[in-house]
Each structure stands twice: as structure tokens, then as C-alpha cells.
Amino acid sequence: MAFTNATKETGALSVTGSGSWISLHTGDPSTTGANEATGGSPAYARKQTTWTGGTSDGVVAGSAVSFDVPAGTYTHIGVWSASTAGTFVGGFALSTSTGALPGQATVAVTPSISVV
């Protein structure tokens, strides 16, 4: 089934309307938000993005966010309804894994939701 651009945009805006807090994960978060990063100094915390829609193409971009993280490999991001706890909306693989970070680092991502 093919969707119209207006339907795609409605779907993308529905997803982004459910959460604006972005998380970083060491593995697939599945449907629960599993494998969320923890620890570090400064400590890891979810970051809030600002979603920008209205282009009628089913793609909604978020503002860039930067995470403080301890050593490790980060492969996915997640979308949440709150900065802590909250409802997990969904997760997505990063376009490029960070590789194995040898120590404390900053990881920057620009989230995007696309309904095709």
C-alpha cells in the first residue's frame, strides 16, 4: 500500500508528538527502551529535541542533541515522553555506530522520524 504525503506527515507528527526526549543505547532498545546508556562523569542523561515538521513529506527532523557517555559502543537512539522514566515511544539504529569509545566522550546525534 502506498500512502499519500499528507498521511505520511500525519504519521510522523503523531510519533514525534508522543515524545521529545532522546536516549542513547548500547544495543537494540526493542519495544521497552532496553540497553539505555548509564554512568559517566559528567553523567549520561536523556536530552530533549525540538521536532520540526510541516514539510508534508513524512519526515520530521529533530534538533541536534549531545550526550555525555562513558566508554562503550553506542548503536541506537530512543524516543521517550519524559527526561526520566516516562513512556518509551520507539528506537532506531544510528546511521553509524560510535565504535568502541575508549573513555568518557560526547556523542552528538540529530534524530529524524520518517514514515514511508
Side-chain angles (χ1 to χ4, degrees):
M1 170 188 277
F3 294 110
T4 66
N5 282 344
T7 300
K8 292 177 189 178
E9 190 70 8
T10 298
L13 290 171
S14 176
V15 171
T16 59
S18 296
S20 62
W21 291 92
I22 307 301
S23 56
L24 192 62
H25 299 258
T26 58
D28 187 346
S30 187
T31 59
T32 63
N35 302 309
E36 186 171 1
T38 60
S41 181
Y44 163 81
R46 293 178 193 161
K47 302 295 180 172
Q48 191 168 31
T49 193
T50 300
W51 297 111
T52 305
T55 58
S56 298
D57 62 358
V59 178
V60 178
S63 57
V65 295
S66 293
F67 299 97
D68 294 306
V69 293
T73 300
Y74 300 91
T75 60
H76 290 72
I77 62 170
V79 178
W80 294 81
S81 64
S83 60
T84 59
T87 300
F88 181 66
V89 177
F92 313 92
L94 291 172
S95 57
T96 304
S97 168
T98 62
L101 300 175
Q104 183 74 21
T106 301
V107 175
V109 297
T110 303
S112 179
I113 304 292
S114 177
V115 175
V116 294

